[in-house]
Amino acid sequence: MPGVVRLIDMVFPGDTNHHGTLFGGVALAHMDKVAFLAASRHGRAPFVTAASDRIDFAAPALKGELIEATGRVVRVGTRSLDVEVELVAEALLSGERRLCTRGRFTLVAREGGPLPALAPAQADPEGMLVMADMVFPPQTNHYGTLFGGDALRMLGKAAFIASTRDTRKVMVMAASERIDFTTPIREGEMIELAARVTMRGNRSQRVRVELWAEDLLSAERRRAASAEFVMVAT
């Protein structure tokens, strides 16, 4: 999706302070990462963060909630651009959402020619959860590719979020069916997970998840893995 990247994660106890709310530094790390991904996908160049402008903390994110960081490219210059980032917290069972943090990040391309102009953003396919992340060195093996276990964790997390958002109930994984690994995912690549509920029963659901890898400089994109999960309401 041109100009827009969405990163979704859970607030776990290790990310919270003694009040049970998300550390401000962890929130900023998520925001900076999504700003980098949005900038890199737009400019197809190696970017570094040059500045952040007026980070407003409006409300806390609580332990056990989802956090969704969305980055949108809002200004493009010759070698720099601005990304507006909003971080929203979401209660899993009620669906209540609130804006927690908003800010603007300026990123500069270290090399390359003039950056492309802004393009209209595209909407996610209806009924599909789309979330992004990036592969860092600790997640890779001695070949420099993503560990299969980390890929499975990402696939399972996407299935959990998609199923929980669909039912607003406590969902647990009952089974994983036919996991296919098509191509390796390399260090430094962006990953995008697309999850959709394909079957709904009285207490169970089937969720299909696809994991895509994208080279941020060349824009080469390929499906790296797919899986189907059975989720059950407890």
Side-chain angles (χ1 to χ4, degrees):
M1 185 190 313
V4 177
V5 174
R6 184 171 291 107
L7 185 152
I8 304 175
D9 210 340
M10 294 283 298
V11 179
F12 291 111
D15 296 326
T16 62
N17 57 29
H18 57 295
H19 301 299
T21 62
L22 184 69
F23 281 119
V26 175
L28 287 171
H30 283 297
M31 294 172 74
D32 183 61
K33 182 196 290 188
V34 83
F36 170 79
L37 291 172
S40 300
R41 175 176 261 188
H42 177 85
R44 301 302 178 187
F47 279 90
V48 293
T49 302
S52 59
D53 182 36
R54 190 173 174 82
I55 306 296
D56 291 314
F57 292 89
L62 307 178
K63 179 176 65 177
E65 291 186 323
L66 285 180
I67 49 172
E68 180 176 297
T70 303
R72 296 178 176 86
V73 176
V74 294
R75 182 199 65 86
V76 177
T78 304
R79 292 190 58 244
S80 68
L81 51 74
D82 289 348
V83 181
E84 187 173 88
V85 181
E86 291 185 349
L87 189 143
V88 173
E90 179 178 327
L92 281 171
L93 300 186
S94 69
E96 179 258 333
R97 290 167 64 89
R98 63 189 178 282
L99 177 66
C100 293
T101 311
R102 176 190 285 127
R104 181 175 290 209
F105 293 77
T106 299
L107 294 98
V108 176
R110 293 186 298 165
E111 57 188 60
L115 298 174
L118 279 174
Q122 301 173 6
D124 292 336
E126 187 175 353
M128 182 173 289
L129 169 76
V130 179
M131 48 192 277
D133 211 326
M134 188 171 178
V135 178
F136 292 106
Q139 299 169 291
T140 61
N141 57 27
H142 55 296
Y143 299 114
T145 59
L146 182 69
F147 282 117
D150 281 291
L152 287 171
R153 175 181 57 81
M154 295 171 181
L155 290 162
K157 180 170 70 173
F160 167 77
I161 294 171
S163 180
T164 303
R165 276 186 165 176
D166 187 74
T167 62
R168 296 302 175 187
K169 296 179 180 178
V170 179
M171 305 297 289
V172 296
M173 188 183 297
S176 59
E177 299 181 1
R178 188 166 182 82
I179 300 172
D180 293 311
F181 292 96
T182 311
T183 61
I185 304 172
R186 297 182 289 269
E187 175 188 325
E189 290 189 317
M190 175 178 170
I191 56 173
E192 195 166 67
L193 293 126
R196 185 191 296 273
V197 176
T198 58
M199 185 277 292
R200 295 174 177 85
N202 291 331
R203 293 186 57 249
S204 66
Q205 289 188 330
R206 188 181 298 272
V207 183
R208 177 173 175 80
V209 186
E210 293 185 350
L211 191 157
W212 294 77
E214 182 175 324
D215 186 299
L216 286 170
L217 298 184
S218 70
E220 181 248 338
R221 182 177 168 88
R222 64 196 183 279
R223 189 172 71 176
S226 61
E228 290 194 1
F229 298 92
V230 176
M231 310 294 293
V232 176
T234 59

